[in-house]
Amino acid sequence: QKGGFDSFMAKEIHEQARAVADTLRGRLEDGALRLDEMDIDPSVLRSIDKIVVVACGTAANAGAVAKYAIEHWCRIPTEVELAHEFRYRDPVVTEKTLVVAISQSGETMDTLMAVRHAREQGAKVIALCNTRGSTIPREADAALYLHVGPEIAVASTKAYLGQIAACYLLGLFLAQVRGNLYPDEIAALMADLEQIPDQIQQVLDSSAQVEQLARDMQDATSVLFLGRHVGYPTAMEGALKLKEIAYIHAEGFAAGELKHGPIALVEEGQPVFVIVPSPNGRHSLHSKVVSNIQEVRARGARTLVIAEEGDDAVLPFADEVIRVPATRTLFAALLTVIPLQIFSCELATAKGLDVDQPRNLAKSVTVE
Ligand code: M6R
């Protein structure tokens, strides 16, 4: 059942190339996006003036990636809110708000309640879900399924990648419907997105380095994760994975926030993962993150740097460099998280923990 892997989590991590390919499959026709399930009138999609993404846990981290993509491509103000916070704070939601509910299981009670609240206010709701027939897509106005296959491990991995890929599809679809991007721009973006499954496979094929790192770091008591732009939600997700299955204190930060407090945590030997954006994207974004690596290293941190192939600017300040293939800054979120998933999974396995059923957690949280 585990296909020769030690855990379902390891198996699901290694299924991610196919998972993302399955999320993307059949949704591009003659260079244009076709989302047949998107059962909301295009005129409604053209009239929305705000998007609110509601989700919990890993799904909320996928939503945080979506914000960068949707605002960039569609110029629609996009908020990402933990579903349990949304529901209890009297949010401003109107008929012109599009609520995007992300949930692997489709049964998370907090997210379901947020969906109900949004619909009561007249908002349209799109569900991004993995489980057909589950409650959230049934109650939404439209559903976009991830098609990543069943996820057994409590810690979400392949669904996270499927959620991000589905968010990109939604963002590009909205840009298409609303005319924010030219058809050739959408086709070029989709062409690069369709390269991602092969690139995921490359990351998976070079997992030995991270697995060794994880085994060597079994006794770590605290690990920090830093990133900017989509590297920020990636840092949050890396920290969440390590907390939930390896029971190690872990925190993800926006790298720019360092000097506003978190850098005080850094002392000699503190492991810090840093997610570096492409040097071929916005130069200032890349150079800021390289400076952040320098800053923590100067204070004694052990820097574990995830950087694009050929990015030599990180070399002088990295104790360990983990390479990922080159892609657009936005799409890197589908690659840079994979070493972090492997790190947690391997470390928890080395500690002899129950990777698939971590203590105190359930796969689907159907109570508030
Ligand atoms: O089924 P959902 O996507 O709605 O679940 C949301 C969270 O409970 C879930 O992502 C949780 O954070 C995972 N254990 C993370 O690995």
Side-chain angles (χ1 to χ4, degrees), residues 9 55-61 102-109 111-112 128-131 136 146 151 153-157 159-160 163 237 240-241 244-245 358 361-365:
M9 184 182 178
C56 301
T58 285
N61 291 334
I102 309 180
S103 174
Q104 186 286 131
S105 61
E107 299 294 350
T108 298
M109 185 56 76
T111 309
L112 176 61
L128 267 49
C129 274
N130 195 37
T131 313
I136 291 172
L146 312 180
E151 192 178 63
V154 165
S156 185
T157 54
Y160 178 64
Q163 286 160 350
E237 178 60 11
L240 178 60
K241 289 282 93 74
E244 68 178 332
I245 61 162
L361 293 174
K363 179 65 183 160
S364 178
V365 184

Side-chain angles (χ1 to χ4, degrees), residues 16-319:
Q16 293 185 111
R18 201 187 62 212
V20 171
D22 287 347
T23 305
L24 300 179
R25 179 162 302 119
R27 281 162 164 170
L28 185 72
E29 209 178 80
D30 299 328
L33 268 162
R34 275 197 55 178
L35 299 185
D36 291 338
E37 315 103 298
M38 194 52 67
D39 208 7
I40 297 180
D41 197 284
S43 64
V44 173
L45 295 178
R46 280 191 279 272
S47 72
I48 55 168
D49 60 9
K50 179 168 90 164
I51 293 178
V52 182
V53 181
V54 292
C56 301
T58 285
N61 291 334
V65 174
K67 174 182 166 75
Y68 290 87
I70 294 174
E71 289 197 333
H72 181 63
W73 293 330
C74 311
R75 313 306 298 153
I76 307 171
T78 303
E79 297 168 10
V80 186
E81 183 136 14
L82 294 169
H84 33 90
E85 286 296 318
F86 173 82
R87 197 185 154 209
Y88 290 107
R89 90 177 158 79
D90 193 17
V92 179
V93 177
T94 70
E95 320 76 65
K96 288 191 168 187
T97 308
L98 179 67
V99 169
V100 179
I102 309 180
S103 174
Q104 186 286 131
S105 61
E107 299 294 350
T108 298
M109 185 56 76
D110 289 316
T111 309
L112 176 61
M113 291 304 177
V115 166
R116 287 184 180 159
H117 182 76
R119 293 201 77 212
E120 278 162 21
Q121 316 300 306
K124 290 283 183 226
V125 177
I126 298 180
L128 267 49
C129 274
N130 195 37
T131 313
R132 275 205 177 269
S134 56
T135 312
I136 291 172
R138 273 195 283 117
E139 295 206 9
D141 295 282
L144 196 58
Y145 285 98
L146 312 180
H147 300 307
V148 301
E151 192 178 63
I152 310 293
V154 165
S156 185
T157 54
K158 65 176 181 175
Y160 178 64
L161 261 59
Q163 286 160 350
I164 294 174
C167 286
Y168 291 153
L169 291 174
L170 176 63
L172 290 173
F173 183 74
L174 289 172
Q176 180 175 283
V177 170
R178 295 164 61 97
N180 300 99
L181 294 176
Y182 290 112
D184 58 338
E185 290 176 299
I186 294 180
L189 284 154
M190 280 303 293
D192 288 350
L193 193 51
E194 287 181 325
Q195 297 299 312
I196 293 283
D198 284 346
Q199 296 181 316
I200 291 174
Q201 195 56 52
Q202 286 175 45
V203 178
L204 293 170
D205 290 344
S206 56
S207 61
Q209 177 196 6
V210 177
E211 287 166 0
Q212 187 57 49
L213 180 68
R215 290 191 288 271
D216 293 346
M217 285 177 63
Q218 270 180 71
D219 298 327
T221 52
S222 162
V223 181
L224 306 181
F225 297 76
L226 302 179
R228 284 177 187 252
H229 197 267
V230 295
Y232 171 33
T234 305
M236 299 295 288
E237 178 60 11
L240 178 60
K241 289 282 93 74
L242 196 60
K243 285 177 227 189
E244 68 178 332
I245 61 162
Y247 315 146
I248 291 176
H249 171 252
E251 284 200 61
F253 300 109
E257 196 62 10
L258 261 180
K259 57 184 171 300
H260 301 287
I263 202 163
L265 286 170
V266 178
E267 56 185 3
E268 197 60 36
Q270 168 69 52
V272 182
F273 276 97
V274 186
I275 298 107
V276 183
S278 171
N280 302 315
R282 217 180 320 149
H283 174 72
S284 55
L285 179 65
H286 175 263
S287 64
K288 285 281 176 219
V289 177
V290 174
S291 303
N292 295 137
I293 307 173
Q294 250 175 298
E295 283 157 18
V296 290
R297 195 146 187 265
R299 287 155 182 90
R302 177 171 180 219
T303 53
L304 314 166
V305 173
I306 301 179
E308 200 171 284
E309 303 284 359
D311 179 358
D312 292 340
V314 301
L315 291 176
F317 319 110
D319 290 299

